[in-house]
Amino acid sequence: MIHSKRHGEILRLLNEEGTITIASLAERLGVSLETVRRDVKPLTDDGSVLKMHGAVGLAVLGGEAPFERRMRENAEGKRLVARMVAATIRDGESIMLDSGTTTSFLARELLGHRRLTVVTNSSDIARTLATVNGNKVYMAGGELRSDLGAAVGVSAIDFISHFSVSHAVISIGAVDVVAGLTDYDLEEAEFARMVLSRGQRSLVITDHTKFGRQGLVRVCGFDGFSELATDQAPPRDIAAALSQAGARLTIATA
């Protein structure tokens, strides 16, 4: 593959995944780490690609909506978590999902499932899973927030309170050993709290970048859910807090 073609392939992979490690790029392109670093340099110099520690990411596109931008952040890790969780859900089961980006990745991984009953406030998740494979999708009503791509508020919370599901799944903005699970938006946090209360299984899915952060609004403590799924091991203090609370920790691997 000649140099200019590799540039095109690098940009294509980043368009699909948002961020990707240098090692993963080298493996996929069949070249050395040094070659990838050389190929990436002109793309970072002209602003097409952002350089991170051991990885590269696609530069934010002008006019891109906040939700779409968040979907690009650590997309590889979120997809790993979503794939692992999807494998634990069986055809015909019921699932409630909030409007986070990791839950949107989970919805895409559930496209191979059949006869699911899905309850959500996310327009992205509803579009993804409705009218395919015999699924039933119940969409919560309320104010549609363009920045979230989801319905929020009292009416949305009241709507989901009438359902009891097999799997209640939220994604979370921050996980801290003292504050527990927190988020940055009051209405999102209130909705997520209700979701966790409606499932036989209550599951938090998040990528490792959320560990050690504190958001503005508390969702719950470590005793407020049964499982946490992530893409890398959390810091020791968070892992210990999960264990003490009796919450199961699962880590996705490539």
Side-chain angles (χ1 to χ4, degrees):
M1 187 182 290
I2 64 172
H3 191 62
S4 60
K5 285 187 178 179
R6 280 202 302 270
H7 280 171
E9 184 66 6
I10 289 168
L11 290 172
R12 183 189 69 78
L13 289 168
L14 287 173
N15 266 302
E16 289 180 356
E17 303 194 14
T19 61
I20 190 168
T21 64
I22 295 295
S24 180
L25 271 177
E27 182 180 351
R28 295 194 194 193
L29 298 174
V31 297
S32 68
L33 293 173
E34 227 17 75
T35 297
V36 169
R37 292 190 183 100
R38 280 199 305 270
D39 287 348
V40 163
K41 189 176 186 307
L43 296 175
T44 57
D45 289 345
D46 69 15
S48 301
V49 167
L50 299 176
K51 190 176 181 181
M52 308 171 204
H53 182 65
V56 288
L58 196 66
V60 173
L61 302 176
E64 187 176 39
F67 180 80
E68 294 169 345
R69 189 158 59 244
R70 292 198 305 273
M71 284 290 283
R72 295 182 182 277
E73 295 171 358
N74 195 25
E76 197 170 2
K78 292 173 182 177
R79 189 175 290 110
L80 275 177
V81 176
R83 190 168 298 145
M84 176 182 69
V85 172
T88 69
I89 296 168
R90 295 176 295 183
D91 289 350
E93 290 191 317
S94 56
I95 180 169
M96 188 178 290
L97 301 165
D98 76 349
S99 59
T101 54
T102 313
T103 45
S104 279
F105 276 103
L106 175 56
R108 286 154 176 75
E109 295 297 328
L110 289 171
L111 280 169
H113 286 56
R114 306 184 64 82
R115 304 181 311 282
L116 294 174
T117 299
V118 181
V119 184
T120 187
N121 67 329
S122 165
S123 57
D124 177 76
I125 292 171
R127 282 195 307 267
T128 300
L129 293 175
T131 72
V132 296
N133 297 342
N135 294 337
K136 289 182 182 179
V137 175
Y138 294 91
M139 175 78 187
E143 178 195 358
L144 185 61
R145 290 261 302 271
S146 60
D147 57 332
L148 302 176
V152 293
V154 173
S155 56
I157 292 172
D158 179 67
F159 179 83
I160 65 167
S161 71
H162 297 288
F163 292 85
S164 295
V165 296
S166 302
H167 309 273
V169 187
I170 69 164
S171 56
I172 197 68
V175 183
D176 177 76
V177 69
V178 175
L181 303 191
T182 56
D183 222 317
Y184 299 93
D185 182 274
L186 175 62
E187 291 180 313
E188 278 191 285
E190 291 175 336
F191 188 89
R193 193 180 303 119
M194 177 59 77
V195 170
L196 289 176
S197 73
R198 304 315 302 162
Q200 297 172 27
R201 173 198 194 193
S202 53
L203 174 62
V204 177
I205 57 177
T206 188
D207 68 274
H208 70 279
T209 65
K210 308 303 191 299
F211 295 133
R213 293 185 181 181
Q214 282 193 25
L216 294 173
V217 187
R218 192 170 193 262
V219 175
C220 65
F222 291 102
D223 58 352
F225 55 93
S226 58
E227 299 175 47
L228 185 142
T230 187
D231 62 325
Q232 292 184 25
R236 289 182 180 178
D237 56 352
I238 291 177
L242 288 165
S243 177
Q244 185 175 2
R248 180 184 177 192
L249 172 65
T250 54
I251 301 169
T253 56

